[in-house]
């Protein structure tokens, strides 16, 4: 791996940038690997990287049916935060956040992790109570999260409509200063390049068509559009397509895949300094380094793999954005796209061993997968390498649904009076 | 030099308009665009590129323009950045400015980036700015952000209004060029309901700039006028100019954005600024035309380098010439037409450099006859000129001979790319046409067909014919009766269909950067670097280099980028792949998506019939779901705490009155109503007698509390069910779900009656005395009407359902009267209560009073993870019942664990300390962070009645901890609390009887 | 926005409907007799297919009735709608599925 630095960039410039090698190879699949990861998104690539980097498993392949980072990794609104209510989630996401903080240097790839602060707006008294509960729990868990008054919100994020005419006025917000954004594509590419440098084979345009098991039930390998690949351990990190892949091993899951939309505005000069989320009116907004306002919407009502969402969902998101920042009403939507998010009954992920020996599962991230990428990759790699969960992901089993041990962050914010 | 010809063009020369650009005053005409007016004034330098701040002029005359982005607006609230000058219609007093430059457009400090361009290659930022780690946030990122972005966001709220309409039609025709007009004529004459939309201010497309074609014996402009006249005369046809079909959504649902007002200037009027048409079309005819492709050669981005067709549009439609001395570089015949027409208009067109070895045909003959030199096998290898092109370098690829020619205008044409955006958005499959070097529509998914240039039919006659047939086909497919096929006699020289993508000729060997994506400053070198670094998928190339991601979304660049990747990797174009076409087709205003949903119209506001009374009394309201609820009724000088203290005391000591109308109400009726209730609620209902009330708990099927409420049995077959305010719709939906899909054998009808009943709670020891004089036909005595009973009768002559129920712990009644009588009855009760100093109270006092009694509020004590047992409601679960919704889930291992959080009371050891709701509870205050949290405070209040603070909380194994002490660690210090039973006031319930 | 054909009212825009999840998952007659595994299957396990999906919709802002639909989750095309308790038209790729067990 040719090291990236200001120095190497200048040196390469002198030769017209012609000396850069491939960031990752494009190998033919080998007949056999110790571990095959299904899914070349952020989570799958991170898993491969940590397998090689931290857990000494280097004979690893990542198989991706399209191009790496082409699923939700390249389609999300890149929000990073860890101020979750429950201990289990807080530990998982804060593990990720700590890795984010050093990720550019760990990968030697600038993933542009930008701790710009994440404001979660409260619009009614119930929101205020719920977010304060988060603030208190986070404090005792050692996770930064603080309460801002409406005026403090305005100072932190001047475009916000505080005090103006609003159907649901801003009554305050929870702020996590370490939260922020990162450059989504760079995360996939950075993990790919670093994993590749450690011997991992990244195999694109390779779709899994079957999972082969021995008579004992143990995983033997996978059938792919590029041939059969033997592996004693298979880790599935296929996000929206998880049900399809796991179905090949006869496993039915508590998962449903929904469309989730996002959109960007035309690029404008810096105007929005942080990330603002409003769960109550369904709006998520930040400004990218390029100047585009990056805006997230809610999921569509029905399951779908179509990677597009409905116009009325975009309408509703933008009416919320225009309420929060009325001067953005004249800005224009540049691009609107959809992803497929897999959602569990408690909207928390599954990172676990499965009933099939040698088959491991990482799924169910719903709308929150990007922020967890490094942490998820690390604990999933641990789980695969040691055949037992890391303490952080131990609660995130499939069996919790049978036992009724839900980790339901969304229900914890439920509204009713 | 006068750049505006003495005659010609479609502008209204009798209406001159003044405007300014970067502070300079200019004059144009009505009918001009900002671009055509600037060109007519000899202004070419209009912008700076995104990254290198290269000077830029107009590339095209349409919505594909990547360079000429300007900020428009004289007042801050109407300032709009990033508008395409080619699409801005001129109005008197228009104020425009260039963007992304400092201090001025002609002298831009940012230009220094271009000098360092070799360090700023594609994706350079991924390779650096990593040391020291902290500098990314403090130094590098702010620097990058400042440099990025194009225009400035408006700084004041938009005063304009936006609207949305929904329409249905038989045939939607997108694009009103020759083929779209023909399609609309075909469908319109067939009697179909037709909508014809076009992004331009006038219908006609290429016919608006057609100079010599003859259609059915008429000049193109005359034929166009007649066609529009015919269409206007058809009542079944709606014509929508200035309307862009921006997005295709499933099931033939299209979004159209109509610009209603911008062209009138910054005026206040009742008209909306823009209108979104959401069209459900039975059939769609896509007639979106094609976009001319630039050619790739070194320094192909200087002002004065322009698409040949663009120059032709400025000439023919606006009577403006884009230069005085022109050279043409082309790979196809169409540029010859432009050259010939410009020459005829007096522009010195010296040379046509044609990349084809030996161009032949009528156009070439005509050019030569016009005195234009034509060179085959010739390519442009470079240009010079700082703020405008001054010279062009040509090389004959056969002889190797090079020559530099002076010029102030270089026209180029690499052929035409069909606008397949909408087709692709509809999920239709595109196929690569090797001859045309473009993608054209293949198999359809939705109900549409493409006609004319957008399917690669560039010949005018053929395009019109395909449009008409397409229109008829759409009529047939939509179930209409198509008229006869028509033939059109079109005299127009076909301009051929050659084209190139990627580098023309052997250009690869000429040094220098050729711009692929003009706005984002992506050059051939960037794309080559990306492929070298292993970015092979076209999506990766796009994302790594940002080609095609600018505001024009790659309209002029995508095919060339594909061509470069194909040439660099030696892979056929159709194997490289294609990036996804995403809505919107052109940037579309946020405001038009939001439509009327602003302020109070953002969400419906639900108000009770007593709301106005409360408002008149100065009540402070809170939002609870869609409802406005009175939170407290402050008297002069009172804050919330003072008001609540007074309201509580009045209710406990005499009588309070509370508007409970927002509670959800459902009438459950039918012979199986009791059985249905048994299945839906945890409680047993069979033995509840008519006239009695019971508190009911509803679970989700996963066993967690979903809702609660008091239920009255009005008759053997009739229940009056109440729900929480926010839960009404959810509860009814869950009931309907089970009733319709699981137990359709039950004879039960469900009716939402939330809006039918106004509910007035009268609570306090004097409640009976207040109501007695008003109620004619119900005996209110404790003996006749005990706690938890319901009677039907009249109050003030109004039919009433009277509940004897208490959410305060005091003697209480809830008066249900038809909604329309709510205020009258409220006022009557209020008047009757004067003698007892009846006091209206709000939700805040309601919270305190019920907390003193330990009554839960769903959503406050419960949060979607709480079982009935957790909440201390085991008594409400019918143990003997074989089944109810959620029962099986309660038997799961984790639901019966002794370690679950249970509701308890929490009393601070220091009675003056009021805990904060949401604060966490720990057993060991010495434990370092992360601490083991065993519970949290769900409700906390100052109880004036008790003279101390009280709190409810959920604590792990809490009931077993009663009598012990726990700690609530706060930033200001630890608070010690004692765990107690969650009833603080009148635990025996003696006060319920007054 | 989908165009959904309510079997009672005809084709209407998606805004008039609420989605009801996968169809043909009947609530067990006697839930308490089920073991945790079987109850979990009913409660949470979903087929979530990439392809044809039988699902429930309710015309909530219309007639209020539930009905079933078969929709292709890749294209979002709705192949048919039919009554609760009914079974979808036999389709070759689905012949393995028993028409029984439908929620009635």
């Amino acid at each position: 791996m040719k090291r990236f630095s200001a120095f190497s960039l200048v040196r390469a410039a002198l030769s017209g940038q012609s000396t850069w090698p491939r960031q990752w190879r494009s190998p033919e699949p080998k007949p056999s690997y110790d571990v095959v990861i299904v899914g070349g998104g952020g989570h799958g690539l991170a898993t491969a990287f940590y397998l090689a980097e931290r857990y000494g498993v280097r004979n690893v392949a990542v198989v991706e049916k399209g191009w790496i980072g082409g699923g939700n990794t390249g389609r999300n609104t890149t929000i990073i935060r860890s101020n979750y209510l429950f201990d289990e989630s807080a530990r998982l996401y804060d593990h990720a956040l700590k890795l984010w903080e050093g990720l550019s240097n760990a990968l030697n790839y600038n993933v542009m992790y930008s701790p710009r602060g994440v404001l979660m707006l409260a619009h009614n008294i119930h929101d205020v109570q719920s977010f304060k509960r988060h603030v208190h729990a986070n404090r005792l868990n050692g996770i930064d999260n603080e309460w801002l008054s409406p005026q403090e919100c305005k100072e932190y994020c001047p475009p916000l409509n505080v005090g103006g005419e609003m159907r649901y006025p801003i009554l305050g917000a929870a702020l996590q200063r370490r939260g922020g954004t990162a450059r989504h594509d760079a995360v996939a590419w950075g993990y790919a390049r670093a994993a590749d440098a450690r011997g991992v084979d990244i195999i694109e345009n390779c779709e899994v068509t079957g999972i082969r098991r021995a008579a004992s039930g143990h995983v033997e390998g996978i059938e792919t559009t590029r041939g059969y690949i033997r592996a004693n351990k298979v880790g599935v990190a296929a996000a929206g397509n998880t049900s399809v892949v796991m179905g090949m091993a006869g496993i039915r899951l508590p998962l449903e895949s929904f469309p989730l939309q996002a959109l960007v505005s035309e690029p404008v000069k810096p105007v929005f300094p942080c990330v603002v989320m409003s769960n109550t009116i369904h709006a998520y907004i930040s400004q990218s380094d390029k100047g585009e306002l990056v805006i997230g919407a809610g999921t569509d009502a029905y399951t779908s793999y179509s990677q597009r969402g409905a116009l009325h969902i975009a309408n509703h998101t933008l009416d919320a954005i225009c309420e929060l920042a009325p001067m953005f009403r004249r800005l224009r939507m540049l691009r609107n796209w959809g992803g497929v998010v897999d959602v569990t009954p408690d909207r928390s992920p599954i990172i676990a061993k499965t009933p099939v020996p040698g088959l491991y599962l990482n799924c169910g991230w719903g709308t929150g997968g990007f922020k967890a990428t490094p942490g998820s990759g690390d604990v999933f790699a641990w789980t695969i390498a040691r055949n037992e969960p890391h303490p952080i992901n131990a609660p995130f089993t499939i069996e919790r649904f049978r036992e009724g041990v839900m980790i339901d962050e969304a229900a914890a914010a439920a509204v009713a009076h | 030099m006068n750049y505006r010809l003495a005659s010609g063009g479609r502008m209204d020369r009798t209406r001159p308009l003044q405007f300014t650009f970067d502070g300079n005053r200019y004059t144009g005409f009505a009918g001009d665009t900002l671009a055509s007016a600037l060109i007519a004034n000899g202004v070419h330098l209009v912008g700076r590129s995104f990254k290198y701040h290269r000077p830029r002029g107009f590339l095209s005359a349409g919505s594909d323009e990547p360079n000429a982005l300007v900020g428009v607006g004289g007042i801050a609230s109407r300032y709009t950045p990033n508008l395409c000058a080619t699409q801005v219609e001129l109005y008197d007093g228009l104020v425009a400015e260039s963007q992304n430059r400092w201090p001025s457009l002609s002298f831009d400090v940012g230009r220094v980036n271009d000098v360092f361009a070799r360090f700023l290659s594609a994706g350079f930022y991924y390779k650096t700015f990593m040391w020291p780690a902290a500098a990314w946030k403090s130094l590098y990122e702010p620097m990058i952000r400042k440099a990025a972005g194009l225009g400035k966001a408006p700084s004041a709220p938009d005063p304009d209004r936006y609207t949305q309409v929904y329409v249905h039609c038989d045939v939607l025709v997108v694009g009103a060029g020759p083929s779209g007009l023909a399609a609309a004529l075909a469908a319109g004459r067939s009697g179909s309901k037709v909508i014809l939309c076009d992004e331009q201010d006038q219908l006609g497309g290429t016919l608006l700039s057609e100079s010599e074609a003859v259609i059915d014996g008429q000049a193109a402009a005359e034929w166009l006028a007649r066609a529009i006249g015919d269409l206007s005369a058809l009542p079944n046809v709606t014509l929508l100019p200035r309307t862009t079909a921006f997005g295709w959504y499933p099931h033939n649902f299209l979004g159209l954005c109509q610009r209603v007002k911008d062209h009138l200037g910054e005026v206040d009027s009742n008209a909306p600024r823009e209108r979104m048409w959401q069209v459900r079309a039975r059939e769609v005819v896509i007639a979106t035309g094609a976009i001319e492709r630039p050619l790739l050669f070194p320094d192909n981005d200087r002002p004065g380098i322009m698409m040949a067709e663009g120059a032709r549009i400025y000439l023919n439609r606006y009577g403006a010439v884009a230069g005085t001395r022109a050279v043409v570089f082309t790979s196809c015949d169409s540029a010859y037409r432009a050259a010939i027409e410009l020459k005829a208009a007096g522009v010195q067109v010296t040379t046509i450099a044609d990349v084809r070895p030996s161009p032949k045909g009528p156009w070439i003959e005509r050019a030569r006859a016009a005195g234009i030199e034509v060179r085959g096998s010739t390519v442009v290898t470079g240009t010079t000129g700082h703020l405008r092109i001054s010279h062009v370098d040509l090389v004959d690829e056969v002889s190797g001979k090079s020559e530099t020619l002076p010029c102030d205008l270089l026209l180029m044409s690499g052929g035409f790319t069909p606008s397949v955006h909408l087709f692709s958005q509809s999920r239709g499959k595109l196929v690569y046409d090797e001859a045309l070097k473009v993608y054209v529509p293949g198999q359809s998914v939705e109900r549409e067909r493409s006609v004319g240039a957008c399917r690669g039919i560039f010949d005018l006659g053929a395009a019109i014919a395909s449009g008409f047939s397409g229109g008829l086909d759409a009529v047939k497919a939509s179930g209409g009766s198509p008229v006869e096929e028509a033939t059109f006699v079109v005299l127009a020289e076909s301009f051929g269909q050659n084209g190139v993508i990627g580098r023309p000729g052997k250009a690869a060997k000429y040094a220098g950067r050729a711009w692929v994506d003009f706005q984002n400053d992506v050059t051939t070198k960037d794309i080559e670097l990306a492929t070298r670094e292993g970015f092979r998928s076209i999506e990766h190339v796009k994302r790594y280099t940002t080609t095609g991601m600018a505001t024009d979304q790659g309209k002029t660049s995508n095919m060339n980028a594909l061509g470069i990747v194909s040439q660099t990797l030696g892979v056929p174009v159709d194997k490289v792949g294609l990036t996804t076409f995403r809505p919107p087709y052109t940037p579309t205003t946020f405001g038009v998506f939001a439509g009327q949903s602003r302020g109070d119209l953002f969400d419906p506001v639900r108000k009770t019939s007593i709301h106005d009374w409360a408002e008149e009394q100065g009540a402070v309201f809170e939002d609870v779901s869609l409802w406005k609820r009175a939170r407290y009724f402050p008297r002069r000088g009172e804050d919330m705490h003072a008001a609540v203290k007074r309201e509580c005391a009045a209710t406990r000591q005499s009588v309070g009155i509370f508007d409970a109308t927002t509670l959800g109400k459902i009438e459950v009726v039918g012979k199986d109503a009791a059985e249905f209730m048994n299945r839906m609620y945890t409680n047993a209902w069979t033995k509840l007698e008519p006239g009695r009330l019971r508190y009911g708990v509803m679970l989700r099927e996963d066993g967690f509390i979903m809702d609660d409420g008091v239920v009255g049995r009005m008759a053997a077959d009739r229940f009056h069910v109440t729900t929480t305010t926010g839960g009404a719709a959810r509860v009814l939906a869950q009931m309907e779900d089970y009733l319709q899909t699981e137990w359709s054998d039950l004879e039960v009808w469900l009716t939402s009656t939330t809006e039918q009943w106004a509910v007035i709670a009268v609570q306090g020891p004097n409640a009976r005395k207040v109501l007695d004089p008003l109620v004619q036909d119900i005996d209110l005595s404790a003996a006749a009407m005990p706690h938890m009973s319901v009677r039907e009768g009249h109050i003030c002559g109004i039919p009433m359902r009277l509940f004897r129920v208490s959410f305060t712990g005091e003697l209480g009644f809830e008066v249900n009267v038809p909604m329309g009588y709510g205020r009258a009855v409220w006022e009557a009760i209020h008047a009757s209560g004067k003698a007892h100093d009846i006091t209206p109270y709000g939700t805040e006092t309601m919270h305190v009073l019920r907390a003193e009694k330990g009554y839960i509020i769903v959503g406050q004590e419960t949060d979607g993870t709480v079982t009935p047992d957790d909440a201390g409601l085991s008594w409400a679960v019918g143990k003997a019942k074989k089944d109810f919704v959620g029962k099986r889930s309660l038997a799961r291992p984790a639901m019966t664990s002794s370690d679950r959080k249970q509701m308890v009371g929490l009393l601070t050891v220091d009675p003056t300390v009021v805990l904060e709701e949401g604060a966490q509870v720990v057993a060991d205050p010495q434990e370092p962070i992360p601490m083991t949290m065993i519970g949290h405070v769900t409700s906390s209040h100052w109880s004036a009645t008790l003279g101390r603070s009280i709190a409810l909380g959920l604590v792990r194994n809490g009931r077993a901890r009663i009598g012990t002490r726990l700690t609530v660690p706060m930033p200001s210090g630890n608070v010690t609390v004692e765990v107690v039973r969650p009833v603080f006031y009148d635990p025996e319930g003696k006060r319920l009887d007054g | 926005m989908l165009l959904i054909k309510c079997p009672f009212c005809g084709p209407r825009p998606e805004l008039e409907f609420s989605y009801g999840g996968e169809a043909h998952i009947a609530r067990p007659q006697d839930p308490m007799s089920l073991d945790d595994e079987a109850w979990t299957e009913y409660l949470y396990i979903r087929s979530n297919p990439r392809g044809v999906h039988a699902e429930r919709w309710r015309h909530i802002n219309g007639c209020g009735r539930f009905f079933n639909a078969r929709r292709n989750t890749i294209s979002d095309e709705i192949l048919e709608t039919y009554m609760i308790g009914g079974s979808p038209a036999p389709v070759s790729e689905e012949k393995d599925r028993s028409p029984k067990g439908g929620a009635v």
Side-chain angles (χ1 to χ4, degrees), chain C residues 7-71:
Chain C
F8 306 93
C9 309
R12 299 294 169 91
E14 181 192 331
L15 286 181
E16 295 187 9
F17 298 86
S18 63
Y19 179 69
E22 186 169 353
H24 307 299
I25 301 174
R27 190 172 189 273
Q29 287 298 317
D30 181 9
M32 296 310 287
S33 69
L34 266 51
D35 63 13
D36 286 341
E37 203 70 49
W39 181 245
T40 304
E41 175 78 19
Y42 162 71
L43 201 52
Y44 293 131
I45 305 296
R46 297 294 177 262
S47 57
N48 197 28
R50 203 183 149 84
V52 177
H53 186 228
E55 61 198 21
R56 311 182 317 153
W57 288 87
R58 182 176 174 218
H59 195 187
I60 188 163
N61 299 310
C63 65
R65 302 284 295 270
F66 275 87
F67 58 93
N68 292 328
R70 287 193 318 124
R71 181 176 53 90

Side-chain angles (χ1 to χ4, degrees), chain B residues 632 638-647 844 914 942 944:
Chain B
Y632 56 99
E638 278 185 343
D639 63 4
M640 185 174 82
H641 293 287
V644 168
K645 189 176 162 189
R646 175 180 48 73
E647 291 170 16
E844 199 64 30
V914 182
W942 176 257

Side-chain angles (χ1 to χ4, degrees), chain A residues 106-118:
Chain A
L107 300 180
N108 180 231
Y109 208 103
N110 189 352
V111 300
M112 305 184 183
Y113 162 65
S114 174
R116 328 176 53 67
V118 175

Side-chain angles (χ1 to χ4, degrees), chain B residues 202-253:
Chain B
Q202 298 178 43
L203 305 179
T206 56
L207 295 178
L208 295 167
S209 51
E210 182 52 59
S211 57
E212 58 175 56
V214 175
I215 308 168
D216 287 347
Q218 289 179 303
E222 287 165 35
W223 185 85
L224 169 60
R226 201 188 68 188
I228 293 172
D230 288 355
L231 288 168
S232 307
L234 291 169
N236 51 322
V237 176
T238 304
L239 301 179
L240 295 176
R242 296 191 179 93
T243 304
T244 305
F246 64 82
W248 190 304
Y249 302 88
H251 300 182
N252 268 35
F253 191 67

